[in-house]
Amino acid sequence: MGFSLLSLTRNLGGVSGFFQVVFVVCLFLVLFKAVQFYLRRQWLLKTLQTFPSTPSHWLWGHQLKDLEQILTWVEKFPSACLQWLSGSNVRVLLYDPDYVKLILGRSDPKASSIYQLVAPWIGYGLLLLNGKKWFQHRRMLTPAFHYDILKPYVRIMADSVNTMLNRWEKLDGQKCSLEIFHHISSMTLDTVMKCAFSHQGNAQLDELSSDGRLFHRACQLAHEHTDGVIKMRKAQLQNEGELEKVRKKRRLDFLDILLFAKMEDGNSLSDEDLRAEVDTFMFEGHDTTASGISWIFYALATHPEHQQRCREEVQSILGDGTSITWDHLDQMPYTTMCIKEALRLYPPVPSVSRELNTPVTFPDGRSLPKGIIVAISIYGLHHNPSLWPNPKVFDPSRFAPDSSRHSHAFLPFSGGARNCIGKQFAMNELKVAVALTLLRFELLPDPTRVPVPIQRLVLKSKNGIYLRLKKLR
């Protein structure tokens, strides 16, 4: 019994000693990280001392959610400011056109820490790729957005918009307001599926959802849907008649370009790359456009005098009909001015980020070192009072044909080499949606549900975008 107690005591002593060693090691690691954190923060404070810093907690930083806060900073801190995200993590917020022009003219990669959350959803396509691979894919896909390809899409866009408006006809939108983003998102998804992927279904009737609340399941569904689109088109191209029809096309559409593409090494795109590009275009081609259309409708609803002037312009071109063509799109100058002013107030992509791969010096002499994340606040740029007097006021005359402004003061589709490859596609869809909707409905605001813009990858509303719809015929 004595021997057993002695052995047990020794064993307990051994275990206690082990935990003491573990505790010392953990304490050392914590102290090491604390010192590392302190030294990096002090280095950043010294290196970035020429940039004013926004108020933040020393450890938790400042997680920007309220876009109104940006407007305060834009007025208080000229050109740029520091935003501490947490501890020693910092980014520099830019909203001066000269600063923005310099950054967008460089080849810095996308900031992986900012965009990593969307990678499981869309993969590494044009939006997230960097370097040589991005350049190869961009060059490969550019022909898909030639105007010869875009021209016949106008009819498809019109069909999708009219399907949505027919559904709205059945609703009593004048008595109860309608949350329009969901409807518009289904419509733009329907459009991109038909235009870019030769899809024959109807996303508006199938009720495909882009809701990301159940993230992993949503990603799985999105990938299954993408795989289905690719598989269906591959099967169609096995048909000799369909293949011959494609070969006779002067220009291929988006998905066919991907399927027929050969990289510099002579190989076709991998299944992973193929899916990533399809997912990316489905996301960028419908979610950002849906955001743009929704906010444009809201802007017109809250400014009825401009809405009516747009309606009269559209009626003078289209009459009371719903047929719209490519040639009509350049005959709506005032409507285009209103669209651009709405995009200024509510840019679909409120911010883009880069991670500096080399140091940079701005025109005023201030510098940033390699490795710093810079966030171009398009929302802040578009509300910068030094560029846009009374920036919160909806004033389409800012975009009159004889108006002038800095080349990088208005960037609804970003800028530089990495600007939105589908910007003309998107602009066409915005014009089609506005023109056809104003022919059939008067858009009225719901004063009890004023939308609150929030900072996301795409500009959304915290409480939805609700409008009342009054039938005109």
Side-chain angles (χ1 to χ4, degrees):
M1 175 66 71
F3 177 77
S4 299
L5 289 172
L6 180 61
S7 299
L8 179 60
T9 302
R10 287 176 177 174
N11 287 336
L12 289 173
V15 171
S16 175
F18 170 76
F19 280 113
Q20 288 176 3
V21 171
V22 170
F23 174 76
V24 170
V25 171
C26 290
L27 181 62
F28 173 78
L29 290 175
V30 169
L31 291 174
F32 176 77
K33 295 300 291 186
V35 171
Q36 191 179 48
F37 162 83
Y38 174 78
L39 292 176
R40 173 167 171 78
R41 186 175 176 90
Q42 291 303 113
W43 175 78
L44 287 170
L45 288 170
K46 183 179 179 180
T47 303
L48 305 175
Q49 61 183 331
T50 56
F51 292 88
S53 178
T54 63
S56 62
H57 187 276
W58 69 272
L59 180 60
W60 310 121
H62 184 287
Q63 298 302 319
L64 179 62
K65 295 181 180 180
D66 184 3
L67 286 170
E68 281 296 313
Q69 183 66 67
I70 287 184
L71 307 189
T72 303
W73 297 342
V74 170
E75 292 186 9
K76 187 176 180 180
F77 308 123
S79 304
C81 62
L82 301 183
Q83 183 192 359
W84 293 92
L85 302 178
S86 63
S88 60
N89 293 323
V90 67
R91 67 177 178 180
V92 181
L93 207 62
L94 309 180
Y95 33 79
D96 176 271
D98 290 320
Y99 276 50
V100 170
K101 182 178 181 180
L102 181 58
I103 294 299
L104 292 180
R106 291 162 48 101
S107 57
D108 302 298
K110 291 287 185 78
S112 58
S113 60
I114 303 296
Y115 292 95
Q116 63 185 355
L117 291 178
V118 79
W121 183 279
I122 64 173
Y124 285 86
L126 272 186
L127 179 64
L128 302 184
L129 283 175
N130 292 301
K132 183 179 179 181
K133 191 170 183 179
W134 171 85
F135 179 78
Q136 290 175 342
H137 283 221
R138 175 83 181 206
R139 184 173 60 184
M140 173 184 68
L141 292 173
T142 296
F145 300 93
H146 189 276
Y147 72 91
D148 281 344
I149 294 291
L150 299 180
K151 278 184 177 180
Y153 289 169
V154 173
R155 179 185 58 78
I156 298 173
M157 292 172 178
D159 289 343
S160 294
V161 171
N162 280 321
T163 297
M164 178 184 73
L165 299 179
N166 290 339
R167 296 178 70 190
W168 286 2
E169 287 273 3
K170 300 174 183 177
L171 302 174
D172 194 351
Q174 192 174 355
K175 290 184 178 179
C176 58
S177 59
L178 177 72
E179 202 295 302
I180 62 171
F181 182 83
H182 175 75
H183 290 253
I184 293 173
S185 182
S186 294
M187 180 272 290
T188 56
L189 179 59
D190 187 33
T191 297
V192 77
M193 292 286 289
K194 290 176 179 176
C195 291
F197 307 124
S198 303
H199 183 62
Q200 301 304 313
N202 192 318
Q204 298 186 75
L205 302 180
D206 296 340
E207 287 293 331
L208 295 172
S209 174
S210 58
D211 190 345
R213 285 172 294 181
L214 300 174
F215 185 70
H216 296 293
R217 179 56 181 158
C219 287
Q220 182 183 352
L221 290 173
H223 292 324
E224 288 174 358
H225 182 66
T226 299
D227 291 341
V229 170
I230 296 171
K231 184 178 180 180
M232 183 186 301
R233 188 55 180 160
K234 281 183 174 180
Q236 291 173 346
L237 293 176
Q238 295 298 313
N239 182 285
E240 193 61 37
E242 181 67 18
L243 190 58
E244 187 62 27
K245 188 191 305 182
V246 171
R247 286 171 177 159
K248 288 180 179 179
K249 283 185 179 180
R250 183 180 174 187
R251 298 185 184 276
L252 301 179
D253 62 21
F254 182 86
L255 182 54
D256 287 344
I257 284 178
L258 291 174
L259 292 173
F260 285 96
K262 297 290 183 182
M263 302 305 288
E264 291 182 356
D265 58 7
N267 294 323
S268 301
L269 284 176
S270 68
D271 289 344
E272 182 181 1
D273 285 345
L274 187 61
R275 173 199 271 180
E277 292 299 355
V278 171
D279 282 340
T280 296
F281 191 70
M282 284 176 61
F283 165 72
E284 289 200 274
H286 99 273
D287 207 35
T288 54
T289 310
S291 172
I293 295 172
S294 299
W295 287 109
I296 291 167
F297 283 2
Y298 173 71
L300 292 175
T302 51
H303 298 88
E305 68 282 11
H306 296 295
Q307 179 184 166
Q308 181 57 27
R309 188 169 170 182
C310 289
R311 181 177 293 108
E312 291 171 358
E313 181 179 69
V314 172
Q315 288 172 336
S316 70
I317 300 166
L318 304 180
D320 290 329
T322 56
S323 176
I324 187 169
T325 66
W326 171 273
D327 293 334
H328 290 139
L329 302 183
D330 286 331
Q331 299 174 27
M332 300 182 288
Y334 194 77
T335 302
T336 302
M337 288 162 56
C338 288
I339 289 173
K340 289 182 177 179
E341 175 65 348
L343 292 175
R344 182 192 68 80
L345 282 170
Y346 309 107
V349 179
S351 176
V352 295
S353 298
R354 302 284 189 270
E355 183 174 339
L356 299 182
N357 55 14
T358 58
V360 63
T361 300
F362 294 108
D364 59 5
R366 293 192 288 185
S367 300
L368 292 174
K370 174 183 177 181
I372 292 293
I373 293 176
V374 293
I376 297 171
S377 175
I378 296 176
Y379 192 88
L381 178 74
H382 285 187
H383 290 79
N384 189 332
S386 67
L387 304 170
W388 311 97
N390 300 314
K392 293 184 179 181
V393 174
F394 183 82
D395 181 8
S397 67
R398 302 181 202 268
F399 294 94
D402 59 349
S403 62
S404 62
R405 58 186 167 273
H406 192 290
S407 62
H408 284 64
F410 178 62
L411 298 174
F413 303 106
S414 190
R418 295 199 69 140
N419 69 347
C420 175
I421 192 173
K423 62 181 180 180
Q424 189 59 57
F425 178 96
M427 198 64 186
N428 291 348
E429 190 169 9
L430 299 181
K431 291 181 180 181
V432 170
V434 170
L436 297 184
T437 300
L438 293 186
L439 284 179
R440 296 175 62 176
F441 291 95
E442 180 182 352
L443 305 174
L444 303 167
D446 181 348
T448 66
R449 290 174 166 174
V450 178
V452 179
I454 52 173
Q455 177 89 2
R456 294 286 187 271
L457 194 61
V458 174
L459 188 68
K460 300 290 180 68
S461 169
K462 185 186 298 184
N463 54 339
I465 302 177
Y466 287 84
L467 295 181
R468 298 181 187 276
L469 307 172
K470 182 180 179 181
K471 299 177 187 178
L472 295 177
R473 57 192 176 114

